Amino acid sequence: MCRWLAYSGTPILLDTILYRPAHSLIDQSLHARLGVETTNGDGFGVGWYTPDPTPDTPAIVRDTGPAWSNRNLREIADHVRSPLFFAHIRASTGTAVQQTNCHPFRHGRWMWMHNGAITDFNRMRRDLALAVDPALFPHVEGSTDSEMMFYLALTYGLEQDPPGAVERMTGLVERTGHRHDVEFPLQMTVAVTDGQRLWAFRYSSQGASRSLYYSTRVETLRALHPDAAFLRDISDETRLVVSEPLGDLPGAWNEVPESSYGIVQQGADELLPFAPQAV
Amino acid sequence: MCRWLAYSGTPILLDTILYRPAHSLIDQSLHARLGVETTNGDGFGVGWYTPDPTPDTPAIVRDTGPAWSNRNLREIADHVRSPLFFAHIRASTGTAVQQTNCHPFRHGRWMWMHNGAITDFNRMRRDLALAVDPALFPHVEGSTDSEMMFYLALTYGLEQDPPGAVERMTGLVERTGHRHDVEFPLQMTVAVTDGQRLWAFRYSSQGASRSLYYSTRVETLRALHPDAAFLRDISDETRLVVSEPLGDLPGAWNEVPESSYGIVQQGADELLPFAPQAV
Amino acid sequence: MCRWLAYSGTPILLDTILYRPAHSLIDQSLHARLGVETTNGDGFGVGWYTPDPTPDTPAIVRDTGPAWSNRNLREIADHVRSPLFFAHIRASTGTAVQQTNCHPFRHGRWMWMHNGAITDFNRMRRDLALAVDPALFPHVEGSTDSEMMFYLALTYGLEQDPPGAVERMTGLVERTGHRHDVEFPLQMTVAVTDGQRLWAFRYSSQGASRSLYYSTRVETLRALHPDAAFLRDISDETRLVVSEPLGDLPGAWNEVPESSYGIVQQGADELLPFAPQAV
Amino acid sequence: MCRWLAYSGTPILLDTILYRPAHSLIDQSLHARLGVETTNGDGFGVGWYTPDPTPDTPAIVRDTGPAWSNRNLREIADHVRSPLFFAHIRASTGTAVQQTNCHPFRHGRWMWMHNGAITDFNRMRRDLALAVDPALFPHVEGSTDSEMMFYLALTYGLEQDPPGAVERMTGLVERTGHRHDVEFPLQMTVAVTDGQRLWAFRYSSQGASRSLYYSTRVETLRALHPDAAFLRDISDETRLVVSEPLGDLPGAWNEVPESSYGIVQQGADELLPFAPQAV
């Protein structure tokens, strides 16, 4: 499968989150603890919004080799600051190792990344492709289930109602899977953003979803760890959502419950239940 | 566009055809004379059958960089002998530069490569994808028009009747194009083989097809050039089909006529007219 | 050979210079007009300083494929702003196509890029390697003449006296070449910067150096082209040095004379004679 | 570190050894059991001699990504037969991930591959480079300790006396290391061949060398496992030398003792003591 992280908050060098933590995403590319595979070496991607108002699209840099040895990722992490970024390391479940299959995916201002799989995707691929809005169909570039899920969510109104669109996408995947005699069609943690708000979903047909964690409120963490210099430099609004905790700071990480999703946004963040919707 | 060559005959080192001729395919990757672009640096591929009876599938080695600097291609060419091989250099018309978009494509024992384009492919892509046999649909790995043409030809019976299947594929592409108000939907030279016979097609909706040449019969060439040592080492059955002549040997190259196709096979080769068929 | 450009001035999106001009560096990667080869497809690099005070080292992103199809370069150009950046496209003269052979090269805050060659470099390589400061020797990562020239210049005091160090490096290369019976050992245009000032050199042993141009003073250009909106958005201090003019704006480009170098800096820029120094 | 295997015997498809065994080299690229790291994803290489008399040089195909997802390696393994081949998967100890740093290395008819490291190589690199025969110096393409060891062995007569040359190379590395206050300068298992004979060395300054195994004589294995079909298809002369056993067949694998080397050749193979020689 894969591992990912999403950051929203005070603009920081990507390095601070990508490389410096003890169990950083780069460390996870070689030694994931909570994933299905320990190695995530089949490509990576990083997508970031700039602190400037323009462009309002994210930059997305993706490559096919392992993240751990990629020098360009190291350079970008050392020199790019961003208030909102995604990073993803891939362990292919069979589809080709190529740039167009690396996360995050982008459509306009929107970014999407996924950990998990559509079970027996190849049996459903045609049916799902047909459900994509014909106007969006030519934008599908790669061959992954993850990108297909993104375009299905866009088809179902992601830009207007992200949680509803993801629930409808999930409903379609499950119905299609059941029609093909797939018992548990979907396994997913998904992050999606428009550059302002960030939605993170944890769901699986089987009710045994891949791990997903969010960071504790910065104010609470400061009270717990008054000596942690890092916490003084970031705003109260700063939040991380990650496949695996990046370290062992007590009280820092909270599991996203099964079948739920969170919204990271200006003001209070939210944690809400998630259920597939019929389409 | 692209450039390609197909060789059938006495087993030889790939190097003999790929690198040694004055205007070899590798030279064409930097300095094509008859193509739309002089540079063909967006990936390459070589596919070869072994002289051994097993495996009966071709080996296909493809990569995304330019052929001219690829060391692995050089190594393979210097050390692999084959009685039947394809080579292709790509100039992308917009689709991603990735291994799954490099030619030749393979399905079982069959190989396919293409120079040209489906005009406004993105507008037709969904309609054409729907016409692919659902059982074959999951095998489409890349995003090119060329691979889609291959799977459409397979859908229309390539393995039983190659010329008929290509004519039906062409008919479908043209009908689909016209429905989308594309005046001249198709431009193609195509080579396809099952490891025994080789079919080469030249056709375009506009009647102004990309260049395609076949080599003169070896017996005739020997009479013309009694001193050419190379000609003494190859059998009478040896034949090349190429996008551009590989050199200036007088009498060596003949243009494939517009709207026609050739069959290279044991015994006499054939040159026949080609016309799209309604499907 | 290669093509390069160096920009210093108002922080701008890299795209403005890398992709937008009619004869941009990306266009030159396929269609160089003044180079030895029209194609520069053997790797590329871009190095930029951030507008922030930290880090004070440049970011360097390099890859081995052609620039024209590289999506990550496109992403970076669309989203990164810089007051001082280098870009380089490579046409290998024989050394391996690999990231460590791509320009620019970096040492601490310093960046270096080169167009040209040391003639018969392989015959001189050992002698030149021995002249590199032993403390710097392990930092040489690739196998190019260009990187060796950089480390020789560092050995001869680049960080204290850039023009003098380049003159001494040139002197050494010529003396070494002559000892190996190479008549014209060096051909170069070089750009080097510490993030504050930028030095650009044009020299060849034969007195027939590769092309090099610098942009006219912005004030002068504004007077010549009062309608050019672009010129109103950039400061008077903005300057470009390029292997080939990026377009046809009359009066915009001036050839750097043979055997000379320029300094782009706060206040008046300078143009001075260059001559190899004995070491 | 790395993992490697060397095969000599009945010409077979590379696939038989590279992919089919339960704990094949490809499996070891993700799940090495006896190595310092479980992941060997920083490039790979395969070098093979053809069954034909010409060319007598080996083909060497190397690439920078992980072996486990490389499709070209899969294609070659499925279609190339060889009587003598090397395969290597790399875990970089710091030097760049690039083709010229991948094993095996070649010089004329000779191939070399290595697992291990020169301790503090960067401190010794210049001294060792100076000891390389100046005529060979320009052939060093990459930046690894492994390639340097190969060129030092060539300098010390590898082509005339392989064991002696490797002993002298080892002596030089140890003396140089001690001069730089490195207590245990060398750790190595090395395979080298001229296409006829194969030498495999196991040595480390500390006397705690990386694992190395050779396969039991085929006749003995046949007696032990009369039902193993694979053993009936290979000649008595067939032998494997590997970093790790490829499976659990009882009696199949024997550890190469500390400080020793083996010769695989026509007729009886040999196992002999190894000791560094002063130079």
Side-chain angles (χ1 to χ4, degrees):
Chain A
M1 305 295 167
C2 311
R3 305 278 86 184
W4 58 252
L5 72 75
Y7 173 92
S8 172
T10 304
I12 52 169
L13 280 180
L14 273 48
D15 168 62
T16 316
I17 302 299
L18 283 188
Y19 288 85
R20 296 225 184 150
H23 188 49
S24 71
L25 199 70
I26 303 306
D27 182 58
Q28 293 174 35
S29 69
L30 274 169
H31 306 292
R33 295 171 188 168
L34 306 180
V36 174
E37 277 283 358
T38 55
T39 307
N40 293 277
D42 298 329
F44 68 87
V46 61
W48 72 88
Y49 296 85
T50 64
D52 307 308
T54 60
D56 67 352
T57 57
I60 295 195
V61 167
R62 303 182 293 180
D63 214 335
T64 53
W68 69 74
S69 61
N70 194 281
R71 293 187 174 198
N72 290 337
L73 181 59
R74 178 79 254 189
E75 292 290 315
I76 287 166
D78 280 349
H79 293 88
V80 166
R81 272 171 219 281
S82 170
L84 176 46
F85 62 91
F86 281 10
H88 187 278
I89 51 176
R90 186 170 180 241
S92 168
T93 52
T95 43
V97 176
Q98 59 192 21
Q99 198 176 26
T100 56
N101 283 351
C102 292
H103 309 223
F105 302 99
R106 177 178 60 198
H107 186 78
R109 286 185 298 116
W110 291 76
M111 277 205 294
W112 172 280
M113 63 183 169
H114 168 231
N115 170 31
I118 294 179
T119 312
D120 285 323
F121 175 53
N122 266 346
R123 284 158 63 189
M124 298 189 224
R125 197 173 144 200
R126 187 173 184 272
D127 287 356
L128 296 176
L130 295 195
V132 170
D133 180 344
L136 291 172
F137 188 91
H139 296 279
V140 178
E141 277 205 309
S143 54
T144 60
D145 47 3
S146 308
E147 187 190 22
M148 186 79 84
M149 290 163 64
F150 182 28
Y151 278 95
L152 287 169
L154 285 163
T155 299
Y156 290 128
L158 183 70
E159 290 162 292
Q160 291 74 47
D161 169 19
V166 175
E167 289 181 336
R168 287 185 286 277
M169 175 275 287
T170 305
L172 176 80
V173 170
E174 294 202 327
R175 199 185 65 197
T176 306
H178 295 151
R179 218 168 51 224
H180 286 271
D181 297 321
V182 176
E183 188 179 5
F184 301 121
L186 187 59
Q187 173 65 258
M188 74 176 198
T189 66
V190 159
V192 60
T193 181
D194 62 356
Q196 300 296 325
R197 284 192 295 173
L198 157 64
W199 295 262
F201 301 85
R202 185 177 185 220
Y203 176 78
S204 61
S205 307
Q206 195 174 1
S209 302
R210 298 280 175 264
S211 59
L212 192 64
Y213 294 82
Y214 62 96
S215 61
T216 299
R217 292 180 63 230
V218 171
E219 287 167 84
T220 309
L221 278 177
R222 276 198 210 104
L224 277 170
H225 303 283
D227 297 335
F230 172 70
L231 294 170
R232 285 193 293 269
D233 295 338
I234 55 175
S235 75
D236 291 356
E237 294 275 354
T238 298
R239 184 83 75 177
L240 274 160
V241 188
V242 298
S243 293
E244 305 195 4
L246 306 183
D248 300 321
L249 194 69
W253 301 103
N254 315 277
E255 197 174 25
V256 175
E258 277 286 347
S259 302
S260 55
Y261 71 96
I263 315 177
V264 179
Q265 57 194 344
Q266 285 253 312
D269 295 343
E270 294 177 69
L271 187 58
L272 297 159
F274 178 89
Q277 283 183 33
V279 284
Chain B
M1 307 296 171
C2 311
R3 305 279 87 183
W4 57 253
L5 71 76
Y7 174 92
S8 172
T10 304
I12 52 169
L13 280 180
L14 273 48
D15 168 61
T16 316
I17 301 299
L18 283 188
Y19 287 85
R20 296 223 184 151
H23 188 50
S24 71
L25 199 70
I26 304 306
D27 182 58
Q28 293 175 34
S29 68
L30 275 168
H31 307 291
R33 296 171 189 169
L34 306 179
V36 174
E37 277 283 357
T38 56
T39 307
N40 293 276
D42 298 329
F44 68 88
V46 60
W48 72 91
Y49 297 86
T50 64
D52 308 308
T54 60
D56 67 352
T57 56
I60 296 195
V61 167
R62 305 183 290 183
D63 214 337
T64 53
W68 68 74
S69 61
N70 194 282
R71 295 186 171 200
N72 289 337
L73 180 60
R74 178 79 256 189
E75 292 290 316
I76 287 166
D78 280 350
H79 293 88
V80 166
R81 273 170 218 282
S82 171
L84 176 46
F85 61 90
F86 280 10
H88 186 279
I89 51 176
R90 186 168 181 242
S92 168
T93 52
T95 43
V97 176
Q98 59 193 20
Q99 198 177 27
T100 56
N101 284 351
C102 291
H103 310 221
F105 302 99
R106 176 178 60 198
H107 186 78
R109 285 186 298 116
W110 292 75
M111 277 204 294
W112 172 280
M113 61 184 171
H114 168 232
N115 170 30
I118 294 179
T119 312
D120 285 324
F121 175 54
N122 265 345
R123 282 159 63 189
M124 296 189 225
R125 197 174 146 200
R126 186 173 184 274
D127 287 358
L128 296 175
L130 296 195
V132 171
D133 180 343
L136 291 172
F137 188 91
H139 295 278
V140 179
E141 277 205 307
S143 54
T144 60
D145 47 3
S146 307
E147 188 189 22
M148 187 78 84
M149 290 161 64
F150 182 29
Y151 278 94
L152 289 169
L154 284 163
T155 298
Y156 290 126
L158 184 70
E159 289 161 293
Q160 291 75 47
D161 169 18
V166 175
E167 289 181 336
R168 288 184 284 278
M169 175 276 286
T170 305
L172 176 80
V173 170
E174 293 202 327
R175 199 186 65 197
T176 306
H178 295 151
R179 218 169 50 223
H180 286 272
D181 297 320
V182 176
E183 188 177 7
F184 301 122
L186 187 59
Q187 172 65 258
M188 74 176 198
T189 66
V190 158
V192 60
T193 181
D194 62 355
Q196 301 295 324
R197 286 192 293 174
L198 157 64
W199 295 262
F201 300 85
R202 185 177 185 218
Y203 176 77
S204 60
S205 307
Q206 195 173 0
S209 301
R210 299 279 173 265
S211 59
L212 192 65
Y213 293 83
Y214 63 97
S215 60
T216 300
R217 290 181 64 231
V218 171
E219 287 166 85
T220 310
L221 279 176
R222 278 200 208 100
L224 278 169
H225 304 281
D227 298 335
F230 172 71
L231 295 170
R232 285 193 294 269
D233 296 338
I234 54 173
S235 75
D236 290 355
E237 293 275 356
T238 298
R239 184 82 76 179
L240 274 161
V241 188
V242 299
S243 293
E244 306 195 4
L246 306 184
D248 301 320
L249 193 68
W253 302 103
N254 315 276
E255 198 173 23
V256 175
E258 276 286 348
S259 301
S260 55
Y261 72 97
I263 315 178
V264 179
Q265 58 195 345
Q266 284 253 310
D269 296 343
E270 294 177 69
L271 188 58
L272 297 158
F274 178 90
Q277 282 184 34
V279 285
Chain C
M1 306 297 171
C2 310
R3 304 279 87 184
W4 58 252
L5 71 75
Y7 174 92
S8 172
T10 303
I12 53 168
L13 280 179
L14 273 47
D15 168 62
T16 316
I17 301 298
L18 283 187
Y19 287 86
R20 297 224 183 152
H23 189 49
S24 72
L25 199 71
I26 303 307
D27 182 58
Q28 292 174 34
S29 68
L30 274 168
H31 307 292
R33 295 170 190 170
L34 306 179
V36 174
E37 276 282 359
T38 56
T39 308
N40 293 276
D42 297 329
F44 68 88
V46 60
W48 72 90
Y49 296 85
T50 64
D52 307 308
T54 60
D56 66 352
T57 57
I60 295 196
V61 167
R62 305 182 291 181
D63 214 338
T64 54
W68 68 75
S69 61
N70 194 282
R71 294 188 171 198
N72 290 338
L73 180 60
R74 178 80 254 188
E75 292 290 318
I76 287 166
D78 280 350
H79 293 88
V80 166
R81 271 171 220 282
S82 172
L84 176 46
F85 61 91
F86 280 10
H88 186 278
I89 52 177
R90 186 168 180 242
S92 168
T93 52
T95 43
V97 177
Q98 58 193 21
Q99 199 176 25
T100 55
N101 284 350
C102 291
H103 310 222
F105 302 98
R106 176 178 58 198
H107 186 78
R109 284 185 299 116
W110 291 76
M111 277 204 295
W112 171 281
M113 61 183 171
H114 168 231
N115 170 30
I118 294 179
T119 312
D120 285 322
F121 176 54
N122 265 345
R123 284 159 62 190
M124 297 189 226
R125 198 174 145 200
R126 186 172 182 275
D127 287 356
L128 296 176
L130 294 197
V132 171
D133 180 342
L136 292 171
F137 188 92
H139 295 278
V140 178
E141 277 205 308
S143 54
T144 60
D145 48 2
S146 308
E147 188 190 22
M148 186 79 83
M149 290 162 64
F150 181 28
Y151 279 94
L152 288 169
L154 285 163
T155 298
Y156 290 127
L158 184 71
E159 290 162 291
Q160 290 75 46
D161 168 19
V166 175
E167 289 181 335
R168 286 184 286 276
M169 175 275 288
T170 305
L172 176 80
V173 170
E174 295 202 324
R175 199 186 62 195
T176 307
H178 295 151
R179 218 170 47 223
H180 286 271
D181 297 321
V182 176
E183 187 179 6
F184 300 122
L186 187 58
Q187 174 63 260
M188 75 176 199
T189 67
V190 159
V192 60
T193 180
D194 62 355
Q196 302 295 326
R197 287 192 291 174
L198 158 64
W199 295 262
F201 300 86
R202 185 177 185 220
Y203 177 77
S204 60
S205 307
Q206 194 174 3
S209 302
R210 299 277 176 265
S211 60
L212 191 65
Y213 294 82
Y214 63 96
S215 61
T216 300
R217 290 181 65 230
V218 172
E219 287 167 84
T220 309
L221 278 176
R222 278 200 209 100
L224 277 170
H225 304 282
D227 298 336
F230 172 70
L231 294 170
R232 285 194 293 271
D233 295 339
I234 54 173
S235 75
D236 290 356
E237 293 276 356
T238 298
R239 185 82 74 176
L240 274 161
V241 187
V242 299
S243 294
E244 305 195 5
L246 306 183
D248 301 321
L249 193 68
W253 301 101
N254 316 276
E255 198 174 23
V256 176
E258 276 287 348
S259 302
S260 54
Y261 71 97
I263 313 177
V264 179
Q265 56 194 344
Q266 284 254 312
D269 295 343
E270 295 176 68
L271 189 57
L272 297 158
F274 177 90
Q277 283 184 32
V279 284
Chain D
M1 305 296 167
C2 311
R3 305 278 87 183
W4 57 254
L5 71 74
Y7 174 93
S8 173
T10 303
I12 52 168
L13 280 179
L14 274 47
D15 168 61
T16 316
I17 302 298
L18 283 188
Y19 288 86
R20 295 224 185 151
H23 188 50
S24 71
L25 199 70
I26 304 306
D27 182 58
Q28 293 175 34
S29 70
L30 274 168
H31 307 293
R33 294 170 190 168
L34 305 180
V36 174
E37 277 282 358
T38 57
T39 308
N40 293 276
D42 298 329
F44 68 87
V46 60
W48 72 90
Y49 297 86
T50 64
D52 308 308
T54 60
D56 66 351
T57 57
I60 295 195
V61 167
R62 303 182 292 181
D63 213 338
T64 54
W68 68 74
S69 62
N70 194 282
R71 293 185 173 201
N72 290 338
L73 180 61
R74 178 80 253 187
E75 293 290 315
I76 287 166
D78 280 350
H79 293 88
V80 166
R81 270 172 221 282
S82 171
L84 176 46
F85 62 90
F86 281 9
H88 187 279
I89 52 176
R90 185 167 180 243
S92 168
T93 52
T95 43
V97 176
Q98 59 192 21
Q99 199 177 25
T100 55
N101 284 351
C102 292
H103 310 222
F105 302 98
R106 178 179 58 199
H107 186 77
R109 285 184 301 115
W110 291 77
M111 277 204 294
W112 172 280
M113 62 184 170
H114 169 230
N115 170 30
I118 293 179
T119 311
D120 285 323
F121 175 53
N122 265 344
R123 283 159 62 191
M124 297 189 226
R125 199 174 144 199
R126 186 173 183 275
D127 287 356
L128 296 176
L130 296 196
V132 171
D133 179 344
L136 292 171
F137 189 91
H139 296 278
V140 178
E141 277 204 308
S143 53
T144 60
D145 46 4
S146 307
E147 189 190 22
M148 186 78 84
M149 289 162 65
F150 182 28
Y151 279 94
L152 288 169
L154 285 162
T155 298
Y156 290 127
L158 184 70
E159 291 161 291
Q160 291 74 46
D161 168 20
V166 175
E167 289 181 335
R168 287 185 285 277
M169 175 276 286
T170 305
L172 177 80
V173 170
E174 295 203 326
R175 199 186 63 197
T176 307
H178 294 151
R179 219 170 48 225
H180 287 272
D181 297 321
V182 176
E183 187 178 5
F184 300 121
L186 186 58
Q187 173 64 258
M188 75 174 198
T189 67
V190 159
V192 61
T193 181
D194 62 356
Q196 301 296 326
R197 285 193 293 173
L198 158 63
W199 295 262
F201 300 85
R202 184 176 186 221
Y203 178 76
S204 60
S205 307
Q206 194 174 5
S209 301
R210 300 278 174 263
S211 59
L212 192 65
Y213 294 83
Y214 62 97
S215 60
T216 300
R217 290 181 64 229
V218 171
E219 286 166 84
T220 310
L221 279 176
R222 277 199 208 101
L224 277 170
H225 304 281
D227 298 336
F230 171 70
L231 295 171
R232 286 193 293 271
D233 296 340
I234 54 174
S235 74
D236 290 356
E237 294 275 355
T238 298
R239 184 82 75 178
L240 272 161
V241 187
V242 299
S243 294
E244 305 195 4
L246 306 183
D248 301 320
L249 194 68
W253 301 102
N254 316 276
E255 197 174 23
V256 175
E258 275 288 347
S259 301
S260 55
Y261 71 97
I263 314 176
V264 179
Q265 57 195 346
Q266 285 252 313
D269 295 344
E270 295 177 68
L271 189 57
L272 296 159
F274 178 91
Q277 283 184 33
V279 283

